[in-house]
Amino acid sequence: MHTLAESWGVTCRRTGKATWVRLECPVSTPFAATEHRITGLPAEVTRRPPPPPEPALPRGHPGHRAQWAEREGQWFLAEAGELLAGQLDEDMVAALTGQLLVPRLADWCGIWLTTDHAGVRLSRVWHTDERHIRTLRRSLEKDPPSSALRTTGLPWPWPECETTHNTGGSALAFPLVAGGRYHGTLLIGQAGQPELTDTVVRLIEDVARRTAQAVVTARHYTRQATISRTLQRRQLPTSLAAIPGIDTAIVYEPWAEGQTVGGDFYDLFPMGRHRWCFLLGDVSGHDMEAMSVTGLARHLVRLLAREGHGVETLLNRLNHAMAEEATETTTLRGEHEGARLLSLLYGELEPDPTTGNTRCTIASAGHPPPLRLTTNGTVTSVARPQILLGVEEHTNYHADTLTLTPGETLLCVTDGVTERRNGTHQLDDDNGLARILATCTGLGAKAVAERIRRTTHDFSTQPIDDDLAILVLEAVPVLRSAGTITTGHPHGEY
């Protein structure tokens, strides 16, 4: 690889920050001194001298790093602290540290970080000449620092393969310590005659402290993000059960940025050889507590179903549990905390392989009613509205029964669809969702789910402001039945 710049860097000054490069250029006659003029330009333009160059880091004479540290050190330290504090990845912290120190205070540096197994790994290596980074890394990896290193500015053996001109130099090690704990080691090297004055060493020590604190912050963020992702993965099923005679499709888009699970949830699971259960629910709120309730409710529904409870008794028991949890929350945290309300659409499917029909028993607890699309384009609501779960402890829920014939579709959505707003209007005003479903006659489950999703997004130019969940069940000949799932990304596969 051909290198255009001899060296480069960023100079921090009181009035701003300048990026600079050093190029090898042949000496040429100044423009103002040439005998040739550009035709058509005024004489004062052709005589104008070139602008003064940007101030760059002084190099090429003894003591230039010490002088720079004395003059610009505090401003550099403030800039470095701000850059490092904004990073949420420990390897990016190490990379920035290397670029901040080289070539201002060192000709090369390596940043070692601790691992989860009490070891260290060489995270990043930086050199004034990028062609030597790989060689330097191999040399440094032969002699990793000890995790017991606590002495700052400790002399370090010069890497055997580092030098270009075999001039040698001086290397120092600085432990990365924050909160009394060791998080890694910063190695720096200066080729030739060293300029490691007290000012330079103190400045590097300050950078090492800021690097250590930034690494701790990045690790805390990574740890919390990992915990969050792990918990979220447990809230939703990893796959949908395949039902003979039923084609299924799910669209799931959580509202909160960076989350894979929100307040909406779904499930589809087998109960024996000839019966399947499905649900679509919505917990009030979008925070982590709402997410925890979604997981609790989904697993509790599975548990109650496997104990043999039908649709009605299952909802009654789930309502009792939610009401008790609401009472305990109010008692412990006060009225201002509020209870977590749960809307749920729950049903059972029993396909008949002889007739090709599917018996569906379904109940809605405070949920947008499911819609049935027949083969002639008629759309009807198939479940009576009932109160939310967790509001009245002794409420008795009732189920409705219907038969889906091949070609018919059952659409279940959360209020992220029905309450999608465009100004003062909602998507489901004047049976808007039923009118959209009527245009889906003849479409398969996947196509219906995509049309509802796309129409919901296109209903307004504003971003979606709630979780979005769509479950489509289509009665089909047995050979066509399959289960598919789409989460998070609006353009994913169904």
Side-chain angles (χ1 to χ4, degrees):
M1 182 179 65
H2 181 64
T3 303
L4 296 178
E6 176 188 345
S7 58
W8 67 276
V10 179
T11 300
C12 303
R13 295 186 176 277
R14 295 177 177 83
T15 56
K17 181 174 68 175
T19 302
W20 58 268
V21 295
R22 184 180 302 279
L23 300 173
E24 294 183 359
C25 300
V27 178
S28 60
T29 306
F31 179 69
T34 60
E35 297 180 359
H36 300 284
R37 294 176 180 273
I38 302 176
T39 59
L41 292 180
E44 59 270 18
V45 174
T46 61
R47 291 193 298 268
R48 183 175 297 165
E54 286 286 338
L57 180 64
R59 296 181 64 88
H61 62 84
H64 70 275
R65 287 193 172 103
Q67 294 172 12
W68 182 86
E70 290 281 359
R71 186 177 64 254
E72 304 288 351
Q74 293 305 311
W75 296 100
F76 162 74
L77 202 58
E79 181 84 2
E82 183 177 348
L83 286 172
L84 294 172
Q87 304 306 315
L88 298 177
D89 180 83
E90 61 181 82
D91 288 318
M92 183 59 70
V93 171
L96 277 177
T97 299
Q99 295 178 47
L100 286 166
L101 292 175
V102 178
R104 293 180 186 86
L105 299 172
D107 293 306
W108 61 263
C109 79
I111 297 91
W112 293 82
L113 296 177
T114 55
T115 66
D116 294 335
H117 306 290
V120 291
R121 63 181 181 89
L122 187 54
S123 173
R124 290 294 184 271
V125 174
W126 202 250
H127 198 290
T128 53
D129 189 339
E130 295 184 12
R131 294 173 297 181
H132 299 293
I133 290 179
R134 185 175 298 179
T135 303
L136 176 60
R137 170 177 283 274
R138 287 197 297 264
S139 181
L140 292 178
E141 285 177 339
K142 296 177 182 178
D143 187 19
S146 168
S147 59
L149 179 65
R150 292 295 185 272
T151 304
T152 187
L154 180 69
W156 197 260
W158 185 258
E160 295 178 0
C161 304
E162 189 279 323
T163 179
T164 306
H165 305 290
N166 297 320
T167 57
S170 178
L172 295 179
F174 297 83
L176 302 178
V177 178
R181 296 187 60 185
Y182 172 81
H183 298 281
T185 297
L186 167 64
L187 298 178
I188 64 101
Q190 292 183 359
Q193 184 66 30
E195 301 174 37
L196 296 169
T197 64
D198 290 343
T199 301
V200 171
V201 172
R202 284 197 302 270
L203 191 57
I204 298 174
E205 287 177 352
D206 287 335
V207 172
R209 279 193 289 270
R210 283 161 172 77
T211 299
Q213 188 57 56
V215 167
V216 171
T217 301
R219 286 177 170 177
H220 283 169
Y221 172 82
T222 301
R223 189 176 298 112
Q224 291 300 321
T226 301
I227 292 173
S228 177
R229 286 193 299 268
T230 302
L231 291 176
Q232 289 181 53
R233 283 196 297 266
R234 302 294 296 176
Q235 307 308 308
L236 297 176
T238 56
S239 62
L240 295 178
I243 307 175
I246 294 291
D247 190 17
T248 62
I250 275 282
V251 173
Y252 185 80
E253 296 178 5
W255 169 77
E257 183 177 357
Q259 288 192 10
T260 58
V261 178
D264 292 0
F265 61 101
Y266 61 89
D267 205 352
L268 179 60
F269 56 94
M271 284 300 302
R273 296 180 57 186
H274 305 292
R275 185 163 61 100
W276 284 262
C277 302
F278 68 93
L279 63 91
L280 192 64
D282 184 4
V283 178
S284 59
H286 305 286
D287 54 13
M288 296 299 291
E289 187 171 346
M291 186 190 73
S292 67
V293 175
T294 65
L296 175 65
R298 185 177 75 86
H299 290 292
L300 186 55
V301 168
R302 280 203 175 205
L303 177 63
L304 292 172
R306 286 168 179 164
E307 288 181 350
H309 295 284
V311 174
E312 295 178 346
T313 58
L314 185 148
L315 288 181
N316 290 337
R317 287 179 176 271
L318 182 61
N319 176 67
H320 182 76
M322 293 293 298
E324 281 189 344
E325 194 274 338
T327 301
E328 292 176 0
T329 299
T330 303
T331 302
L332 293 175
R333 303 182 184 179
E335 293 286 346
H336 66 281
E337 285 290 336
R340 292 290 177 177
L341 301 179
L342 173 64
S343 72
L344 185 69
L345 188 65
Y346 177 70
E348 296 179 352
L349 299 170
E350 296 179 75
D352 185 344
T354 303
T355 64
N357 297 333
T358 298
R359 176 184 173 87
C360 178
T361 305
I362 191 170
S364 173
H367 204 81
L371 300 178
R372 176 186 186 182
L373 173 64
T374 62
T375 55
N376 63 6
T378 302
V379 177
T380 55
S381 176
V382 295
R384 73 192 78 177
Q386 299 177 85
I387 194 171
L388 289 163
L389 294 168
V391 177
E392 295 289 341
E393 183 176 354
H394 301 292
T395 298
N396 289 318
Y397 291 89
H398 302 280
D400 295 283
T401 302
L402 66 147
T403 299
L404 293 175
T405 61
E408 293 189 336
T409 298
L410 187 66
L411 172 66
C412 310
V413 301
T414 56
D415 58 12
V417 175
T418 57
E419 297 179 5
R420 170 71 161 142
R421 287 188 172 274
N422 185 350
T424 59
H425 301 285
Q426 292 186 349
L427 183 144
D428 200 33
D429 288 347
D430 301 321
N431 296 318
L433 182 60
R435 294 201 306 271
I436 298 169
L437 182 59
T439 67
C440 298
T441 304
L443 298 181
K446 305 174 186 61
V448 172
E450 168 58 16
R451 179 168 293 185
I452 300 300
R453 185 197 71 81
R454 175 47 55 191
T455 304
T456 303
H457 278 270
D458 293 344
F459 185 73
S460 172
T461 58
Q462 298 299 315
I464 295 283
D465 59 359
D466 196 1
D467 300 326
L468 190 70
I470 303 167
L471 171 63
V472 179
L473 304 171
E474 180 198 8
V476 297
V478 175
L479 293 179
R480 280 186 52 200
S481 61
T484 54
I485 178 172
T486 292
T487 62
H489 198 284
H491 304 293
E493 295 296 328
Y494 287 79

